[in-house]
Amino acid sequence: MSLEITFLGTGAAFPSPARGASALVLRREGQCWLFDCGEGTQTQLMRSHLRAARITKIFITHLHGDHIFGLPGLLCTLSLQSDPDASKAPVDIYGPLGLRSFLWRSLELSHSQLLFPYTVHELVPTPDQCPPEEFKDFSGWDRGEALPQGPPGRVLHLDPEEDSYLLVEDEQLVVRAFRLFHRVPSFGFVLEEKPRPGKLDVQKLKDLG
């Protein structure tokens, strides 16, 4: 399995002419997985060798602006560059509880309609992930509100046995999120490659005794 990492932004708080806000891309077998999407990420993508249209998954560590303010704009640009296709697999977006509401409201208020499907999978944080005075429970924000065009997706809770959140699993790897301590609930992401059985040349082994 081939994995390649490209840093699009390593700055904090705000972008600069020479350093973008937080964003990196993991390229895996023709697909691009984006981790964080600070302001200016799509400009950095255009300067790179990567193709934004290859983005199939997006992972957001936390809801501070320098990690998410580029996301609505990036999705809109991807939409402008795509053709309507009902059979196209959705772009999966993973992040803390509240991300679905942020995206839906940003796109709704700006009258933006995406030509491709997307899903938002929210990770429910625990209060001990940040200082008590900073913790906000977003679980009831949209309760009772009609979100007719709100994106689908799962709500993921901490697995107490693994002390992590299972996000993705296929034949080659497993992706989990784990809790970080920050000013707001934050998550790190781990990609673990599954063991690959080796191949033995039985006849050669016999010949070697």
Side-chain angles (χ1 to χ4, degrees):
M1 181 171 60
S2 175
L3 298 175
E4 176 186 293
I5 292 178
T6 301
F7 290 92
L8 298 177
T10 58
F14 56 87
S16 72
R19 193 177 185 190
S22 295
L24 70 85
V25 170
L26 173 73
R27 189 165 65 169
R28 176 203 177 203
E29 299 179 348
Q31 296 184 15
C32 290
W33 292 3
L34 175 65
F35 292 80
D36 280 338
C37 190
E39 183 181 351
T41 294
Q42 57 178 315
T43 304
Q44 294 293 88
L45 274 167
M46 294 173 190
R47 292 172 176 165
S48 74
H49 64 285
L50 303 167
R51 291 181 56 192
R54 295 287 181 90
I55 294 175
T56 59
K57 298 186 188 302
I58 300 172
F59 302 85
I60 301 297
T61 58
H62 62 291
L63 300 184
H64 274 153
D66 55 336
H67 293 254
I68 64 169
F69 281 165
L71 186 52
L74 174 64
L75 294 177
C76 289
T77 298
L78 291 177
S79 180
L80 291 172
Q81 297 175 347
S82 65
D83 298 318
D85 184 359
S87 63
K88 183 177 180 181
V91 174
D92 287 304
I93 304 174
Y94 301 85
L97 195 66
L99 181 58
R100 178 182 288 109
S101 181
F102 166 76
L103 277 178
W104 182 81
R105 292 175 190 276
S106 298
L107 297 173
E108 185 74 6
L109 289 170
S110 61
H111 297 264
S112 303
Q113 295 182 344
L114 302 185
L115 297 180
F116 60 88
Y118 72 103
T119 58
V120 179
H121 309 290
E122 294 186 302
L123 285 63
V124 178
T126 57
D128 56 349
Q129 285 183 244
C130 66
E133 64 274 12
E134 296 282 353
F135 184 81
K136 294 182 180 179
D137 182 2
F138 295 128
S139 59
W141 263 34
D142 300 318
R143 191 169 296 158
E145 280 192 48
L147 298 180
Q149 298 178 358
R154 296 176 291 156
V155 176
L156 305 171
H157 294 270
L158 180 72
D159 180 344
E161 293 186 4
E162 297 288 343
D163 197 27
S164 64
Y165 303 74
L166 177 62
L167 307 184
V168 180
E169 183 172 12
D170 60 25
E171 298 81 11
Q172 294 183 316
L173 57 74
V174 177
V175 182
R176 294 182 182 273
F178 61 93
R179 297 172 296 166
L180 299 176
F181 188 86
H182 189 35
R183 282 180 45 229
V184 297
S186 303
F187 298 91
F189 302 100
V190 170
L191 285 75
E192 182 179 358
E193 188 175 2
K194 290 185 176 180
R196 290 179 292 173
K199 295 181 180 180
L200 293 178
D201 186 334
V202 177
Q203 186 56 50
K204 189 170 184 177
L205 289 174
K206 289 180 178 179
D207 293 343
L208 293 172

